Amino acid sequence: HKGIYDAIDIWHQVSKRLPRARLTLLGYAPAWEMKKIRDKILRLKLTNLIKIVGFVHDRISVYRYLRSSKLLLFLDHEAGYGLVVAEALAAGLPVIAYNLPLFGSVYQQGFVTVPFKNSAKAAQQIVTLLSDMNSYNKLSEQARNQAKVYDWQTVSRKFYQILTTYGKKPISLS
């Protein structure tokens, strides 16, 4: 449900238009699943274009991967909050994702969505974004602005305002 096989199919299409573009895959998969993933990458002749890192324990290393990237490809088939999306936005990375409910509700900007399982549309969005620096820079700025909404200082200030406002009058719990 994380869209790993979708990512490989999408990157196969992207590589035809941007042969120097690379995809880095982070995350855990059981050994039998990892073999299937590697086999598909090999079958599509993408071994020089897709790097499998696996699960990364260290948050600083995850952030370094984000900072060295141009975008986040978020292909979850279902997602709640999508913490990795918030992390990517904070790093100024535009997000390409399936059109899930969190895009437009939890996150308002800094992303482009495509129809579910539409690898051709996703590949086209990636190529367009990586080929047009004006569009890329605009979406990257939107990503950083969106992340500010979730900045701990901003959130704590809002929470403090709520506490001080409601601290002066009774709160109904019913």
Side-chain angles (χ1 to χ4, degrees):
H1 69 274
K2 290 292 185 184
I4 185 70
Y5 297 105
D6 301 351
I8 297 167
D9 291 335
I10 290 166
W11 215 256
H12 185 244
Q13 294 173 55
V14 168
S15 70
K16 293 174 184 175
R17 308 248 323 266
L18 298 174
R20 294 178 56 209
R22 303 288 185 265
L23 176 66
T24 301
L25 301 173
L26 302 179
Y28 170 79
W32 62 269
E33 192 78 52
M34 194 60 78
K35 181 179 178 350
K36 285 175 56 178
I37 292 165
R38 282 189 164 84
D39 288 348
K40 182 168 186 163
I41 291 169
L42 186 63
R43 187 172 63 254
L44 293 174
K45 298 180 171 88
L46 296 171
T47 53
N48 293 329
L49 302 178
I50 298 178
K51 177 182 179 180
I52 300 174
V53 174
F55 183 75
V56 179
H57 298 274
D58 178 27
R59 308 276 301 154
I60 293 171
S61 295
V62 171
Y63 186 72
R64 284 186 184 132
Y65 278 110
L66 286 172
R67 293 297 300 161
S68 69
S69 299
K70 296 286 185 200
L71 58 85
L72 174 72
L73 190 55
F74 185 78
L75 301 172
D76 282 26
H77 295 179
E78 55 189 40
Y81 176 77
L83 182 58
V84 70
V85 173
E87 293 169 333
L89 295 171
L93 297 183
V95 176
I96 306 287
Y98 287 142
N99 192 9
L100 297 174
L102 75 146
F103 296 102
S105 60
V106 175
Y107 303 109
Q108 304 295 319
Q109 60 181 345
F111 61 86
V112 175
T113 60
V114 298
F116 182 67
K117 300 285 269 176
N118 190 330
S119 62
K121 184 72 172 168
Q124 178 57 48
Q125 288 294 338
I126 292 166
V127 169
T128 298
L129 194 59
L130 294 178
S131 301
D132 179 359
M133 287 312 294
N134 287 331
S135 295
Y136 178 87
N137 290 335
K138 181 180 177 184
L139 204 56
S140 181
E141 182 63 26
Q142 288 177 5
R144 281 189 284 282
N145 289 336
Q146 178 66 68
K148 289 177 186 173
V149 172
Y150 300 105
D151 175 74
W152 72 270
Q153 290 176 329
T154 303
V155 172
S156 63
R157 264 193 302 276
K158 286 181 183 177
F159 186 61
Y160 177 76
Q161 289 171 344
I162 290 169
L163 289 176
T164 57
T165 300
Y166 287 109
K168 296 175 183 167
K169 46 187 150 176
I171 299 174
S172 172
L173 300 177
S174 56

